[in-house]
Amino acid sequence: MEPLPARDAITPEVLARWAHRGQRRDTPAGPGAYIDHPRRVVELLLAGRVADPEVLAAGWLHDTVEDQPERLVRAGAALDHGSDGGAAGSGDGIGVGDGEPVDDAVVRDRALAVLADLFGPTVGRIVAEVTNPLPSASAQGSPDVLYLEHLRQMCAHGSPAAVSVKICDHLDNTRDLDPVPADPRDPARLARLRRKYAAARPILRSASSLLAPRWQASALSRDLTQGR
């Protein structure tokens, strides 16, 4: 994997591009670079008149703890030891002591600590708020049901900054859910995602955020159950 730049050259965008390097995302034209998603989330935040650099930083980094926590932990260790982080992107499990794997929740906590160290506690907190929680043994329901419950809790009790990032994440996630000719994506998965995000949209419509109110209302106005 490409080495990390020096600590003073690491911006939220630089770290996001490094953490998501090689990760792909399904699009109507086939797999595309995952980094295009957080880039568009930041563009949507700006379109919604959010200019706070910490919120924009969280926009770049909002999926890193959920998708690439081990890379963040390895990046933090590399920076602490003054290495280039070249070995940080293997994606292998992180071990402690005699090599036993670390619990996923612990890895996430360490990854959030890396973000807080690099960009401040507010950025770490926003990313923590928007990160979908790990399933627990006591959790009941499908992943989509748990996602919606987390969304309700976040919109009811979370920070306006985190809600802003979540709305823009949702808007980009729903931009291309309708199948097109020669679409390589699984139609059943697209249908499930449309149901999931259609249920999420009313929750987000009434949420308080930092986005310009008229912009937020307009951006969330389309009924996802009706297609384009």
Side-chain angles (χ1 to χ4, degrees):
M1 186 169 184
E2 182 176 315
L4 277 168
R7 177 183 282 266
D8 60 4
I10 297 178
T11 66
E13 178 180 355
V14 165
L15 185 60
R17 289 185 179 279
W18 185 86
H20 290 297
R21 184 173 295 277
Q23 187 178 347
R24 310 296 283 176
R25 179 181 172 94
D26 288 340
T27 78
Y34 194 90
I35 192 62
D36 290 339
H37 168 60
R39 174 183 58 78
R40 288 191 299 263
V41 168
V42 173
E43 290 172 352
L44 286 165
L45 286 165
L46 291 168
R49 303 292 188 267
V50 174
D52 186 323
E54 291 180 314
V55 182
L56 298 178
W60 277 111
L61 298 163
H62 75 276
D63 274 341
T64 55
V65 171
E66 191 170 316
D67 291 354
Q68 303 291 352
E70 294 182 355
R71 288 187 178 180
L72 293 186
V73 173
R74 292 179 184 278
L79 292 168
D80 287 344
H81 291 88
S83 68
D84 64 10
S90 67
D92 296 329
I94 299 172
V96 292
D98 60 1
E100 294 183 2
V102 176
D103 181 81
D104 288 344
V106 174
V107 178
R108 282 190 171 194
D109 286 345
R110 291 181 182 178
L112 287 167
V114 172
L115 296 186
D117 176 57
L118 286 170
F119 307 116
T122 298
V123 173
R125 175 181 56 77
I126 297 171
V127 174
E129 286 186 75
V130 301
T131 298
N132 291 319
L134 291 164
S136 66
S138 61
Q140 297 183 356
S142 69
D144 290 353
V145 169
L146 298 177
Y147 162 84
L148 290 169
E149 180 57 30
H150 172 244
L151 187 66
R152 290 188 189 96
Q153 292 297 318
M154 194 193 73
C155 288
H157 306 294
S159 68
V163 173
S164 302
V165 173
K166 199 68 171 180
I167 288 173
C168 293
D169 176 44
H170 168 90
L171 290 171
D172 190 62
N173 283 334
T174 56
R175 64 190 289 271
D176 57 9
L177 288 181
D178 296 307
V180 299
D183 198 319
R185 298 173 297 173
D186 178 12
R189 181 172 183 272
L190 286 179
R192 181 187 66 78
L193 289 173
R194 282 195 297 274
R195 291 192 297 270
K196 168 184 171 180
Y197 290 125
R201 184 151 288 198
I203 302 170
L204 294 170
R205 283 192 184 119
S206 60
S208 298
S209 77
L210 303 178
L211 297 161
R214 282 190 177 183
W215 186 91
Q216 178 175 321
S218 176
L220 294 170
S221 62
R222 182 164 70 93
D223 183 353
L224 295 178
T225 63
Q226 302 301 315
R228 292 193 182 280

